């Protein structure tokens, strides 16, 4: 297939060139009634809907289907879907397609909140597998095959295994192939949230993609690492265990009936970008990355940590939390993906041969940013790793039952032994520290206290100012 073509982009361009008169939704009428800033208003001229010749995402048989076929051919799936509600909706659809109420589902504990939301919505019962702490990145890592094997032996009735690969921080590990083989030997499908790995298809030194390693369903946030618009994602299926029709069925239930053509066109464009990414582009990326790392390393206080995914860089400033480093970088206009108590996370652009970023100018500004850091913190506040529950655990109370129980807010330091009535999610990265229905331990409290003191942001059932948690009565 000709991967340089962009059927949906071309169809939108052609449609616009006809100067169409809009007597249809959306109400901005090709941007005419919009008073958004000029560039934003101009782009609305492409914000079409399901008009003749523009196909329909939910019954795709024209240009959208053609664009999805190109995507499927690139990733070697049996079917690939465009998603307009991020990997969130991909995670929901793959779990709905495999599980129903009371089914057991094995899930990596450091999954995104959308995975736990999906499990709660289906009423399935999660078996939580906690990977070992990854000391290199100071984050929870990826699962070992041994732990998955133990869980499969204990819960052979599980309907699916849900993995996060790579982690937000770019940890991919070596064990995915073996885990997939173990699951397939028991005819259990492997669903992979590869939100951060849409670019792995470009090959070494990037990790291998889960779809290539034989996972049944793989979800990609194209918008995270490829040049796609926010919310633009892919879902790929290649499986004898998961039905494509079921995935399609849930996607049409869970996604808008008015999907954004701008997002879909950007997915078509992102697919063409990565499909035409050559070794020369990759070499340019690696050279620019090395130069950038060299520049950063020359700043004495900074330490650069590389992970399995070359697109991710962790940057630490000795004696300072990541939050402090993030604030100093922002003072000079550099915005990192996230900060945690140890570091900030940079997501590099997937540079190509045409990229000429002003690395030296950046370096000078970063040097200036670092001078705003202030005094070294003698004891930067670090979370307590033993909060991270080891091995296999279960929720103390399944979330569907929580709707019928009484709840209350209690002081954080009195919460050990109680059951969380809502998840607590440091955001970003969106991985729950406590899952709704999970029993609260002293370790959770220590970690949460440290994160609050260090300045982390949260979503969910915590009142930061009063240091209160939402629990079952
Ligand atoms: C691992 C992981 N999975 C899923 C998601 C949700 O992706 P999206 O924002 O595309 O809905 C995120 C978002 O940060 C994520 O980090």
């Amino acid at each position: 297939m000709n991967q340089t073509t962009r059927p949906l982009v071309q169809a939108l361009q052609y449609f616009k060139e006809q100067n169409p008169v809009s007597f249809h939704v959306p109400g901005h009428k090709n941007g005419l009634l919009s008073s958004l800033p000029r560039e934003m208003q101009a782009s609305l001229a492409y914000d079409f809907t399901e008009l003749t010749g523009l196909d329909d995402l939910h019954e795709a048989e024209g240009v959208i289907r053609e664009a999805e076929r190109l995507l499927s051919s690139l990733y070697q799936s049996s079917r690939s879907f465009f998603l307009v509600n991020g990997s969130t909706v991909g995670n929901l659809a793959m779990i709905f397609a495999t599980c129903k109420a009371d089914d057991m589902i094995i899930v990596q504990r450091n999954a995104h909140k959308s995975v736990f939301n999906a499990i709660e919505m289906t009423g399935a019962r999660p078996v939580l597998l906690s990977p070992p702490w990854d000391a290199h990145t100071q984050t929870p890592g990826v699962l070992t095959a041994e732990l998955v094997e133990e869980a499969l032996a204990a819960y052979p009735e599980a309907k699916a295994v849900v993995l996060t690969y790579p982690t937000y921080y770019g940890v991919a590990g070596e064990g995915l192939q073996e885990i997939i083989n173990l699951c397939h030997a028991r005819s259990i499908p492997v669903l992979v949230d590869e939100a951060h790995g849409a670019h792995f298809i470009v090959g070494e030194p990037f990790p291998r993609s889960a779809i290539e390693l034989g996972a049944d369903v793989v979800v990609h946030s194209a918008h995270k690492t490829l040049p796609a618009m926010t919310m633009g994602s892919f879902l790929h299926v290649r499986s004898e265990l998961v039905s494509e029709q079921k995935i399609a069925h849930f996607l049409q239930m869970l996604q808008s009936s008015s999907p954004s053509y701008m997002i879909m066109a950007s997915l078509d464009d992102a697919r063409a970008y990565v499909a035409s990414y050559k070794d020369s582009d990759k070499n340019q990326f690696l050279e620019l990355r090395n130069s950038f790392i060299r520049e950063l390393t020359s700043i004495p206080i900074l330490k650069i940590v590389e992970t399995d995914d070359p697109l991710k860089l962790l940057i630490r400033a000795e004696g300072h939390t990541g939050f402090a480093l993030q604030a100093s970088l922002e003072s000079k206009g550099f915005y990192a993906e996230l900060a945690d108590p140890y570091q900030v996370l940079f997501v590099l652009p997937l540079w190509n041969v045409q990229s000429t970023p002003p690395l030296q100018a950046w370096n000078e500004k970063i040097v200036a940013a670092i001078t705003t850091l202030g005094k070294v913190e003698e004891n930067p506040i670090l979370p307590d790793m033993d909060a991270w529950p080891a091995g296999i655990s279960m929720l103390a109370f399944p979330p569907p039952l929580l709707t019928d129980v009484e709840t209350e807010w209690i002081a954080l330091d009195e919460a050990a032994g109680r059951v969380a009535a809502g998840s607590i999610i440091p955001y970003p990265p969106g991985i729950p520290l406590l899952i709704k229905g999970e029993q609260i331990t002293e370790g959770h409290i220590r970690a949460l206290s440290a994160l609050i003191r260090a300045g982390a942001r949260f979503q969910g059932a915590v009142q930061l100012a009063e240091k209160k948690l939402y629990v079952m009565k």
Side-chain angles (χ1 to χ4, degrees), residues 162-367:
V162 188
L163 304 175
T164 303
Y165 168 96
T167 68
Y168 210 128
Y169 289 76
V171 180
E174 303 274 311
L176 183 60
Q177 179 76 80
E178 196 182 341
I179 291 174
I180 293 172
N181 293 346
L182 285 169
C183 297
H184 284 173
R186 290 167 179 77
S187 299
I188 298 179
V190 181
L191 316 179
V192 182
D193 175 354
E194 197 172 74
H196 294 270
H199 59 296
F200 286 1
I201 187 108
V202 305
E204 284 188 353
F206 295 92
R208 290 178 76 192
S209 170
I211 192 84
E212 194 191 331
L213 295 174
D216 296 80
V217 185
V218 175
V219 172
H220 283 148
S221 284
H223 69 94
K224 290 192 197 299
T225 59
L226 302 182
M229 276 175 74
T230 296
M231 294 177 88
S233 292
F234 303 140
L235 183 150
H236 312 282
V237 193
R238 192 174 66 189
S239 179
E240 288 168 7
L241 303 168
V242 182
S243 141
E244 281 169 28
Q245 284 73 25
K246 270 195 179 175
I247 296 267
H249 170 72
F250 284 107
L251 282 177
Q252 64 81 23
M253 282 170 79
L254 293 164
Q255 298 207 94
S256 169
S257 62
S258 310
S260 159
Y261 272 79
M262 305 271 278
I263 294 177
M264 292 190 285
S266 82
L267 288 173
D268 197 21
D269 184 50
R271 186 269 315 147
Y273 182 88
V274 74
S276 19
Y277 200 78
K278 301 198 175 49
D279 281 349
S280 50
D281 295 304
K282 204 158 54 178
N283 291 339
Q284 171 80 346
F285 166 81
L286 292 170
E287 261 177 45
L288 287 168
R289 177 179 180 275
N290 285 343
S291 308
F292 189 44
I293 292 176
R294 258 198 314 277
E295 298 277 2
L296 291 171
T297 314
S298 71
I299 305 173
I301 189 180
L302 294 188
K303 177 163 188 246
I304 313 306
V305 177
E306 300 180 50
T307 76
D308 296 331
D309 177 2
L311 212 62
K312 304 275 170 89
L313 282 185
L314 305 181
I315 303 171
R316 297 181 185 156
E318 221 173 293
H320 296 275
T321 63
F323 302 109
L325 177 58
Q326 180 182 40
S328 75
L329 290 169
E330 288 184 1
S331 74
K332 298 291 174 208
F334 292 92
Y335 290 84
E337 170 66 10
L338 61 76
D340 69 24
Y342 302 94
Q343 58 218 342
V344 298
L345 167 64
F346 274 13
V347 182
L348 298 179
L350 190 61
W351 284 307
N352 65 11
V353 279
Q354 275 142 29
S355 308
T356 52
L359 295 184
Q360 202 160 353
W362 285 355
N363 188 49
E364 282 160 22
K365 281 195 181 172
I366 291 175
V367 169

